[in-house]
Protein backbone atom coordinates (compact mmCIF):
# COMPACT_ATOMS: atom_id res chain seq x y z
CA UNK A 1 0.00 0.00 0.00
CA UNK A 2 1.39 3.38 -1.00
CA UNK A 3 1.50 5.88 1.80
CA UNK A 4 2.61 9.50 1.81
CA UNK A 5 3.25 11.54 4.92
CA UNK A 6 3.92 15.27 5.06
CA UNK A 7 6.06 16.76 7.81
CA UNK A 8 7.28 20.22 8.66
CA UNK A 9 6.52 23.29 10.75
CA UNK A 10 2.91 24.30 11.10
CA UNK A 11 3.72 27.97 11.63
CA UNK A 12 5.99 30.11 9.48
CA UNK A 13 6.67 33.82 9.83
CA UNK A 14 6.10 36.17 6.90
CA UNK A 15 9.10 36.54 4.58
CA UNK A 16 10.57 33.23 5.77
CA UNK A 17 10.81 29.98 3.86
CA UNK A 18 8.26 27.22 4.23
CA UNK A 19 9.87 23.77 4.15
CA UNK A 20 7.96 20.49 3.98
CA UNK A 21 9.01 16.90 3.44
CA UNK A 22 6.92 14.08 2.02
CA UNK A 23 8.06 10.63 3.06
CA UNK A 24 6.84 7.84 0.82
CA UNK A 25 6.41 4.19 1.74
CA UNK A 26 5.16 1.27 -0.29
CA UNK A 27 6.60 2.66 -3.54
CA UNK A 28 9.81 4.11 -4.84
CA UNK A 29 9.81 7.71 -5.99
CA UNK A 30 12.03 6.64 -8.88
CA UNK A 31 9.59 4.06 -10.26
CA UNK A 32 8.80 4.79 -13.87
CA UNK A 33 5.87 6.93 -14.83
CA UNK A 34 4.87 8.25 -11.44
CA UNK A 35 4.77 11.94 -10.64
CA UNK A 36 5.13 13.29 -7.12
CA UNK A 37 3.34 16.55 -6.54
CA UNK A 38 2.75 19.24 -3.99
CA UNK A 39 -0.79 20.60 -3.80
CA UNK A 40 -2.29 23.14 -1.45
CA UNK A 41 -5.72 24.32 -0.45
CA UNK A 42 -6.08 27.75 1.13
CA UNK A 43 -9.03 28.21 3.48
CA UNK A 44 -12.27 28.54 1.55
CA UNK A 45 -10.57 27.99 -1.81
CA UNK A 46 -9.92 25.17 -4.24
CA UNK A 47 -6.92 22.96 -4.75
CA UNK A 48 -3.82 24.55 -6.24
CA UNK A 49 -1.03 22.56 -7.86
CA UNK A 50 2.37 23.85 -6.79
CA UNK A 51 4.69 21.58 -8.73
CA UNK A 52 6.01 18.08 -9.12
CA UNK A 53 9.13 16.00 -9.34
CA UNK A 54 8.99 13.11 -11.69
CA UNK A 55 10.36 9.60 -11.59
CA UNK A 56 13.17 10.79 -13.83
CA UNK A 57 14.07 13.65 -11.52
CA UNK A 58 12.64 16.32 -13.79
CA UNK A 59 10.87 19.11 -11.96
CA UNK A 60 7.95 21.27 -13.02
CA UNK A 61 6.47 24.27 -11.25
CA UNK A 62 3.27 26.23 -11.38
CA UNK A 63 4.07 29.42 -13.30
CA UNK A 64 2.41 31.51 -10.62
CA UNK A 65 4.68 30.13 -7.89
CA UNK A 66 7.79 29.22 -9.84
CA UNK A 67 9.89 32.16 -8.68
CA UNK A 68 9.46 31.17 -5.02
CA UNK A 69 9.35 27.37 -5.22
CA UNK A 70 11.97 24.66 -5.05
CA UNK A 71 11.21 20.94 -5.12
CA UNK A 72 13.87 18.31 -4.60
CA UNK A 73 14.21 14.68 -3.60
CA UNK A 74 16.43 12.32 -1.68
CA UNK A 75 16.19 8.92 -3.27
CA UNK A 76 18.14 7.26 -0.45
CA UNK A 77 15.41 8.33 1.97
CA UNK A 78 12.59 7.97 -0.55
CA UNK A 79 11.28 11.42 0.15
CA UNK A 80 10.78 14.68 -1.66
CA UNK A 81 10.68 18.20 -0.33
CA UNK A 82 9.05 21.55 -0.93
CA UNK A 83 10.53 24.93 -0.19
CA UNK A 84 8.45 28.06 -0.69
CA UNK A 85 10.30 31.29 -0.03
CA UNK A 86 9.18 34.78 0.95
CA UNK A 87 5.87 33.52 2.30
CA UNK A 88 2.95 35.80 3.09
CA UNK A 89 -0.34 35.12 4.90
CA UNK A 90 -1.78 34.23 1.48
CA UNK A 91 0.38 31.10 1.55
CA UNK A 92 -1.60 29.81 4.53
CA UNK A 93 -3.11 26.52 3.43
CA UNK A 94 -3.31 22.81 3.94
CA UNK A 95 -0.40 21.36 2.00
CA UNK A 96 -0.62 17.88 0.49
CA UNK A 97 1.84 15.62 -1.21
CA UNK A 98 0.31 13.48 -3.89
CA UNK A 99 1.24 10.76 -6.33
CA UNK A 100 -0.07 11.01 -9.86
CA UNK A 101 0.04 8.52 -12.72
CA UNK A 102 -0.10 11.22 -15.37
CA UNK A 103 2.21 14.06 -16.35
CA UNK A 104 -0.90 16.13 -17.00
CA UNK A 105 -1.96 18.19 -14.01
CA UNK A 106 -5.46 16.93 -13.32
CA UNK A 107 -7.15 15.99 -10.09
CA UNK A 108 -8.39 12.70 -11.50
CA UNK A 109 -4.79 11.47 -11.80
CA UNK A 110 -3.95 12.13 -8.17
CA UNK A 111 -4.57 8.69 -6.77
CA UNK A 112 -2.55 8.68 -3.56
CA UNK A 113 -2.58 11.53 -1.07
CA UNK A 114 -0.88 12.38 2.16
CA UNK A 115 -3.16 13.35 5.01
CA UNK A 116 -2.23 17.01 4.57
CA UNK A 117 -0.53 19.41 6.91
CA UNK A 118 -1.78 22.82 7.94
CA UNK A 119 0.73 25.60 7.44
CA UNK A 120 -0.10 29.03 8.80
CA UNK A 121 1.89 32.11 7.89
CA UNK A 122 1.71 34.59 10.71
CA UNK A 123 3.95 36.73 12.85
Amino acid sequence: QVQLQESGPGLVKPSQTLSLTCTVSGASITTNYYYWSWIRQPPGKGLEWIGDIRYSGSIYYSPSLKSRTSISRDTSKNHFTLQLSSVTPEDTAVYYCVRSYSPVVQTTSWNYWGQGTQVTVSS
Side-chain angles (χ1 to χ4, degrees):
Q1 179 72 5
V2 179
Q3 294 184 320
L4 296 87
Q5 178 67 58
E6 304 92 350
S7 59
L11 180 64
V12 183
K13 288 182 166 44
S15 82
Q16 293 188 341
T17 296
L18 177 162
S19 295
L20 296 174
T21 296
C22 181
T23 301
V24 179
S25 59
S28 169
I29 61 174
T30 61
T31 297
N32 280 355
Y33 312 126
Y34 288 120
Y35 308 84
W36 304 90
S37 297
W38 288 100
I39 311 293
R40 69 181 184 180
Q41 186 167 29
K45 297 185 179 180
L47 295 169
E48 178 181 22
W49 179 77
I50 300 169
D52 67 44
I53 185 163
R54 303 187 173 190
Y55 60 93
S56 61
S58 298
I59 302 169
Y60 293 82
Y61 298 115
S62 166
S64 64
L65 295 170
K66 183 176 181 178
S67 64
R68 300 194 291 127
T69 307
S70 178
I71 295 174
S72 62
R73 69 181 184 180
D74 186 332
T75 57
S76 68
K77 296 179 180 178
N78 209 42
H79 74 211
F80 59 106
T81 63
L82 168 69
Q83 291 193 313
L84 184 65
S85 64
S86 305
V87 297
T88 72
E90 291 188 346
D91 293 309
T92 295
V94 178
Y95 285 76
Y96 299 93
C97 56
V98 171
R99 191 186 83 170
S100 173
Y101 58 81
S102 172
V104 178
V105 178
Q106 53 190 14
T107 58
T108 52
S109 300
W110 301 337
N111 57 353
Y112 285 99
W113 293 67
Q115 65 182 23
T117 187
Q118 172 70 47
V119 178
T120 300
V121 179
S122 175
S123 55

